[in-house]
Amino acid sequence: MTFGMFLVAFGVAGISMILGVIVRSFWISNRVNGAGFWLLALLFMGGIGAVTTAYNPVIEPLWLHYVLIVVAPFLVGFVGLSVLIGRRPAVDEQ
């Protein structure tokens, strides 16, 4: 694996984690300013990275490669924001 492929894989994982945070934030507020634009941009960049790493996967088999680089970071971002929300005291209770 070259350094460039490592950067692409790292970028896809980061994009996937940010997507998880953005998707989770839709349940927090009725309106998230600019999320639609960033969601489309991140999906586009992540799609390019996913196709690029499919030709030279970081690990084999290919399904495990996508689970570890796309699905796992998405779940970390989604669940991580959920945990942070759960630990914050409610404004109405104070």
Side-chain angles (χ1 to χ4, degrees), residues 44-87:
F44 179 71
M45 292 186 301
I48 291 172
V51 169
T52 303
T53 58
Y55 291 111
N56 190 11
V58 177
I59 55 175
E60 295 284 344
L62 193 58
W63 67 268
L64 183 60
H65 165 80
Y66 282 121
V67 165
L68 292 177
I69 290 184
V70 176
V71 177
F74 181 87
L75 291 176
V76 167
F78 189 90
V79 172
L81 185 59
S82 298
V83 169
L84 288 176
I85 292 168
R87 291 185 180 182

Side-chain angles (χ1 to χ4, degrees):
M1 175 176 64
T2 64
F3 183 68
M5 290 306 295
F6 171 76
L7 289 179
V8 168
F10 187 76
V12 170
I15 287 168
S16 182
M17 190 175 87
I18 293 170
L19 282 175
V21 170
I22 289 174
V23 169
R24 179 61 180 101
S25 68
F26 287 135
W27 285 276
I28 299 171
S29 173
N30 293 333
R31 181 175 178 186
V32 180
N33 292 329
F37 171 74
W38 287 108
L39 188 62
L40 289 175
L42 289 172
L43 285 172
F44 179 71
M45 292 186 301
I48 291 172
V51 169
T52 303
T53 58
Y55 291 111
N56 190 11
V58 177
I59 55 175
E60 295 284 344
L62 193 58
W63 67 268
L64 183 60
H65 165 80
Y66 282 121
V67 165
L68 292 177
I69 290 184
V70 176
V71 177
F74 181 87
L75 291 176
V76 167
F78 189 90
V79 172
L81 185 59
S82 298
V83 169
L84 288 176
I85 292 168
R87 291 185 180 182
R88 194 175 53 176
V91 176
D92 296 337
E93 293 178 9
Q94 292 180 355

